[in-house]
Amino acid sequence: MASTEQRLPTRERRPSTAAPIVDIVGSVSPAGISRPKHKRTFTGFGASEIKSVEAAIPEPQRDVWTKHQFEGFKTKDQFEKEVVRHVETTLARSMFNCDESAAYSATSLAFRDRLIKEWNKTQQRQTFADSKRVYYLSLEFLMGRALDNAMLNVGAKSTAKEGLSELGFRIEDIIGQEHDAALGNGGLGRLAACFLDSLASLNFPAWGYGLRYRYGIFKQEIIDGYQVEVPDYWLDFNPWEFPRHDVTVDIQFYGNVRKSQDENGKTVAFWEGGEIVTAVAYDVPIPGYDTPSTNNLRLWSSKAASGEFDFQKFNSGEYESSVADQQRAETISAVLYPNDNLDRGKELRLKQQYFWVAASLYDIVRRFKKTKRAWSEFPDQIAIQLNDTHPTLAIVELQRILIDVEGLEWDEAWRIVTSTFGYTNHTVLPEALEKWPVGLVQHLLPRHLQIIYDINLFFLQTVEKKFPNDRDMLRRVSIIEESQPKMVRMAYLAVVGSHKVNGVAELHSDLIQTTIFKDFVTIFGADKFTNVTNGITPRRWLHQANPRLSELIASKTGGYGFLKDLTLLNKLEEFVDDKSFRKEWAEIKYANKVRLAKYIKNTTDITVNPSSLFDVQVKRIHEYKRQQLNIFGVIYRYLKLKEMSPEDRKKQLPRVSIFGGKAAPGYWMAKQIIHLVNSVGAVVNNDPDIGDLLKVVFLEDYNVSKAEMITPASDLSEHISTAGTEASGTSNMKFVLNGGLIIGTCDGANIEITREIGQENIFLFGTLSEDVEDLRHAHTYGTHAIDAGLNQVFEAIKSGKFGDSNDFNALISAVRDHGDYYLVSDDFQSYIDTQKMVDEEYRNQDEWVSKCIRSVARMGFFSSDRCINEYAEGIWNVEPLAVGGN
C-alpha cells in the first residue's frame, strides 16, 4: 500500500528553532509586497494551478526572476568559465590539484546545468499541454555513460573538446573517467535506454520508472579463469541524478486483510499491519538529440520508514540492531536480480518488483488526480508499458488502488486497468516466464493475491462462457497454475490485464501467438497481439561509438540528418564502387581495431594483430545464446591448425576470437562456459606453433561503454542462438550498423536483418525454428549421434588439454547425455562450414568492404525511433509535443 500519511511517533521531535514552526506568525517580507505562498507538492503544480500561480506573481518580481534566469554556456569561453567555477566552488579544488577525475566532475556539472534548464522547461511544457503521457516501466535501464551522450545530444561536444584542451585535458580521458550506470544487464535494459533516447528525441511526453541499484548487478572480475562477482560501486560520484528527498512513498508488505461492509452494504477491504518501507525518488534527465526536449527517468531507492537509526537501541548497547531496519530496507534496491536459488532470494526479488511498481503507480495516480479529471479519463491521459513480466504486479496494484482506495466498482476499475497497460514480451523460453509460488505472494502481498484470484475467476468465467465444451482450456489459461506448489503465472496475468501484447521481432511475435499464448489468441482474437521489431538509437551506436564512420557517412549523405532519419543511409549505396570511399571505410575499421587491440593488451596482456579477422561474441552468457558452440568451434579450429604442416599453417587466415558477457551469479553452466573460454585461451595464446593464427580473448565486465569500443572494431559478430530462442537481439543491429558482418542462425531479428540487407551479406547456418522441436524429440526418444568433429573437440577436452576435464564434464554431458536441448551437435558441422566460408570471403577485402557498406546502407529500418513511432501509433495512442529546434 502506498500512502503519504506521516505516521507520527508518540514523541515527535520538533525543529530546533526558538518557536515551533506552526507558531511563527508575522510578516517575513517588506510591507506592501506579497506573493502566493508556495505549498510544496510532490509532483509540482497541475496545469490549472500553474497558470493561476503565474498570474498571481507581481510583475516586478517576475521581471527580476526572468532577468536572472540561468543560461547555460553557449561558447567555448563560457564553457571554460563554467568548468573552472565548478572546480573551484563545487569541488573546492584549484588549477593546481584538478586531476582528470575532477575535470570530469566539473565538465559533467557544466553540462548538467544546461540539461536542467531544458528539463524544467520540458516538464512545464508537458504539464501545460496536459496531453497523454507514456510511462515506461522497466526493471533495467542500461544507460551507459551520460557525459558523452549529453555532449552529442545538445550539440556541444566540439565546444567541450576545445575548452578542455585549453584547460589542459584530452576529452577522451575525461569521458573515460565516468562509471557506467549499473542499472541493467542485457538487451532488455539497453532497449529501454534506447527507447528513452528516442522518446526524448521525438518529443514524446514520457517518463521511465526503474530502481536505483546501489551495486548494480555486479562487477565481473576474472580470477584464474573463473567469474567472480564483486559490488559495482558506480554511485560514488553521480552528477546525473537528483535526489528528491521530498518525493517519498510508503510501501507496505506482509500484514493481513480485513473485510467489512460500508454504510451502503458494499464489501470493502483493508490491508493492515505488516512492514512499511519508504521509496525515495531520484531523477535522471534524458536529453533528446537536436531538440530541447529533456525527459525524466525516475529511479526509486529504498530506506527504512522508521528512520535509519534507532537511538533507543543504540543507547541500550544494541549497536548492530540500531541500524538493522535501515539495512533490511536498503537490500530491496541494493542489487539487480538478487540470486533466487534460495527462497529468501525469491522473496527479495518479488519484494523488489512490488516496491518499484507500487511507488511508480502512486506517483502516476497522484499526478493524474491533480488534473481533477474523472477516473474514466485515466486511459486517455496515461499509457503504461510493461517491459517484460517484471512489472506485472502494476496491473494488480492499479486495480487495488481503484477499488480499495478510490472506491470504484470492480468492472469500471478493470476497464480502466486493461485500457491503460500494454505488455511487451521478451522471451518464449518457459523458464524465463516468471512464476511466483502462491504461498510467497500470500505472505508478502496478501491483498494482491485476493485480487489476482478475483481477476482469474472473472477471466475464467468469460472463457467458460465462450468455450463451454473445452474444460481443459480453463486449466491451460488459468493465471493460477495448479501445480505443487501452486504458482501465479505472471505472463498470463500481463496478457489478461493489457489491451495490447507485442513481441519484439516478426519470428518472435509469430512464436508467442502459436506457442506460449496460443490459447489467448483464440480467446481475445489476433488483434490483441502485434509485433514491434526492436531497434537501436543511431545517436549512441553510430555517432557516439564510431565518430569517424559517422563523419564519413555524413559527408556522403548531406549532413547528420541520418541520425534522426536512419533511412537516409541508403544514399551510401551510390558509393560502393568508389575506391577512395572504400579505402577510407577500411582505414576507419582498421583504426577501431587498433584501439581495441591496445585495450586488450592493457587489460589482458594478450597481444593481438589488428589485421587478423576480429570475431566477436559479446552478450549475456546463456546456454541458448550458445557461447559453448562458439568455443567448441574455436577448439576445433585449434586442433585443425595443430594437425597442419608449418607450410599449410602459413596459408591460414589469422583470427582473434573475442568473448565478453556476464553469467548470472546462480547460473552454474554459464559460469562453466566462461571458465572453458579462459582455459582454452590460456593454452592457445601461449602455443608457439600457433602464434597470431588464433587468439582467444575474454574481456571482463562487459558493459555499454565497452560495447561502444568493441562494436566498431568487429569484422564478424556471432548471433548463434538456437533458432526460436532469441526474441530479437539488438547487438546484431549494432554490429551491422558499424560495418561488421554477422554469422548467425535464422532467429530473432537476424531474419529481418537478412531481408533488409540481402542474404548475400550475412552468413546464416543451422536448424530452422520449425524443425527444433522434432530434433529435440528425436534426441530424447530416438537415436542421437554426436557430430564427428564435435566428438574430436570433446575428446581433446577430456584428455586434459585445457586443464582438469572434470571442470567441463557438464558442458559435454549436456550435449552427449542430456538430449542436447540447444542443438549444439546438430548445428556444429553447419557452423564450421560457414566459418570456412567467412575465411574465404574475408581474403577478398574489396568485396568484404563492399558487403559492409551495402549492409550499413540498408539498416535504416532498425532505428529505435521507428519502434517508438510504431508503439505511439499502434499501442499508446499518443502524440509528440511540438517544440522549436535547437
Side-chain angles (χ1 to χ4, degrees), residues 82-322:
E82 284 292 292
V83 169
V84 171
R85 178 176 72 81
H86 277 301
V87 167
E88 293 184 344
T89 61
T90 313
L91 305 174
R93 293 198 183 202
S94 70
M95 173 169 63
F96 305 107
N97 64 351
C98 178
D99 57 8
E100 285 172 355
S101 169
Y104 158 71
S105 302
T107 305
S108 299
L109 291 164
F111 272 91
R112 187 185 83 163
D113 291 348
R114 257 189 81 159
L115 288 190
I116 292 168
K117 174 91 177 172
E118 295 302 347
W119 184 39
N120 279 328
K121 279 187 179 170
T122 304
Q123 300 312 311
Q124 286 162 12
R125 193 164 53 242
Q126 292 178 5
T127 302
F128 267 121
D130 203 15
S131 57
K132 189 171 188 177
R133 196 179 256 172
V134 176
Y135 295 103
Y136 197 80
L137 266 56
S138 179
L139 201 53
E140 296 185 38
F141 287 96
L142 201 53
M143 303 303 291
R145 289 174 174 162
L147 176 58
D148 200 7
N149 185 59
M151 287 175 170
L152 289 167
N153 279 12
V154 303
K157 188 167 182 178
S158 55
T159 307
K161 186 175 184 174
E162 289 172 36
L164 284 167
S165 174
E166 290 187 1
L167 290 166
F169 297 98
R170 285 176 67 244
I171 193 168
E172 294 79 10
D173 297 335
I174 300 310
I175 289 168
Q177 291 294 313
E178 183 175 354
H179 281 293
D180 275 40
L183 295 169
N185 179 33
L188 179 89
R190 188 50 235 174
L191 181 78
C194 283
F195 280 5
L196 290 185
D197 178 86
S198 288
L199 283 161
S201 298
L202 297 171
N203 303 316
F204 282 103
W207 281 41
Y209 276 107
L211 280 174
R212 179 180 177 267
Y213 303 105
R214 186 74 189 83
Y215 306 112
I217 183 162
F218 59 83
K219 186 169 184 285
Q220 180 193 54
E221 291 183 358
I222 301 297
I223 298 173
D224 298 335
Y226 293 94
Q227 167 178 297
V228 176
E229 302 95 27
V230 298
D232 188 348
Y233 296 107
W234 69 284
L235 281 171
D236 287 352
F237 174 76
N238 181 20
W240 304 103
E241 66 175 14
F242 294 90
R244 302 290 202 196
H245 294 302
D246 50 342
V247 181
T248 60
V249 187
D250 286 348
I251 310 296
Q252 185 175 352
F253 297 104
Y254 312 113
N256 51 68
V257 181
R258 175 174 62 81
K259 290 195 173 178
S260 63
Q261 308 274 315
D262 68 6
E263 62 274 14
N264 302 319
K266 181 182 165 188
T267 303
V268 284
F270 297 94
W271 180 16
E272 298 172 332
E275 171 185 272
I276 303 283
V277 176
T278 299
V280 183
Y282 286 76
D283 287 347
V284 181
I286 307 294
Y289 174 76
D290 192 31
T291 170
S293 284
T294 306
N295 280 342
N296 194 37
L297 168 60
R298 177 158 282 181
L299 304 171
W300 298 104
S301 186
S302 54
K303 70 171 195 176
S306 56
E308 60 189 58
F309 187 69
D310 187 323
F311 223 117
Q312 265 56 49
K313 282 185 178 171
F314 188 83
N315 283 345
S316 314
E318 298 172 51
Y319 304 131
E320 290 81 9
S321 63
S322 67

Side-chain angles (χ1 to χ4, degrees), residues 385-403:
Q385 192 66 24
L386 307 174
N387 194 26
D388 215 356
T389 52
H390 311 124
T392 305
L393 280 170
I395 290 169
V396 192
E397 174 67 2
L398 182 56
Q399 182 72 0
R400 187 192 69 79
I401 290 169
L402 294 177
I403 60 173

